[in-house]
């Protein structure tokens, strides 16, 4: 009769590796999102020069809403 209990050390190592992989992925994703937010902010500011008339353009208005949400 085989022991059906998992090998605790192997299981912990597997969980640790997966956690590390997830952490690295999330860290890279956060960095990419941060770069995208900066790029979008730079583009909106460069395009509009903070001129409120550009707020009438849907894509500019939407970009500003997205930036406000992401920047908190």
């Amino acid at each position: 009769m085989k022991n059906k209990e998992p090998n605790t050390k192997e299981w912990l190592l597997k969980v640790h590796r997966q956690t590390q992989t997830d952490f690295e992925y999330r860290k890279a994703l956060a960095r990419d999102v941060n770069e995208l937010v900066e790029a979008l902010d730079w583009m909106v500011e460069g395009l509009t020069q903070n001129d409120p008339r550009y707020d009438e353009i849907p894509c500019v208005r939407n970009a500003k809403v997205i930036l406000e949400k992401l920047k908190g």
Side-chain angles (χ1 to χ4, degrees), residues 52-68:
R53 293 178 293 172
Y54 283 96
D55 289 345
E56 297 171 14
I57 301 172
C59 64
V60 173
R61 185 175 54 245
N62 291 342
K64 286 184 174 185
V65 168
I66 291 168
L67 285 168
E68 287 175 14

Side-chain angles (χ1 to χ4, degrees), residues 22-41:
D22 291 349
F23 172 73
E24 293 300 325
Y25 172 77
R26 289 172 190 261
K27 190 166 72 170
L29 184 61
R31 185 174 48 248
D32 291 347
V33 167
N34 201 26
E35 290 175 7
L36 284 170
V37 169
E38 287 179 23
L40 182 60
D41 190 28

Side-chain angles (χ1 to χ4, degrees), residues 3-4 6-7 9 14-17 19 22-23 26 32-34 36 39-40 42 45 48-49 55 61-62 64 68-69:
N3 184 0
K4 293 187 178 187
N7 184 329
K9 287 182 182 179
K14 182 180 176 182
V15 169
H16 174 71
R17 286 184 180 148
T19 302
D22 291 349
F23 172 73
R26 289 172 190 261
D32 291 347
V33 167
N34 201 26
L36 284 170
L40 182 60
W42 183 83
E45 187 177 321
T48 65
Q49 300 289 315
D55 289 345
R61 185 175 54 245
N62 291 342
K64 286 184 174 185
E68 287 175 14
K69 287 179 182 178

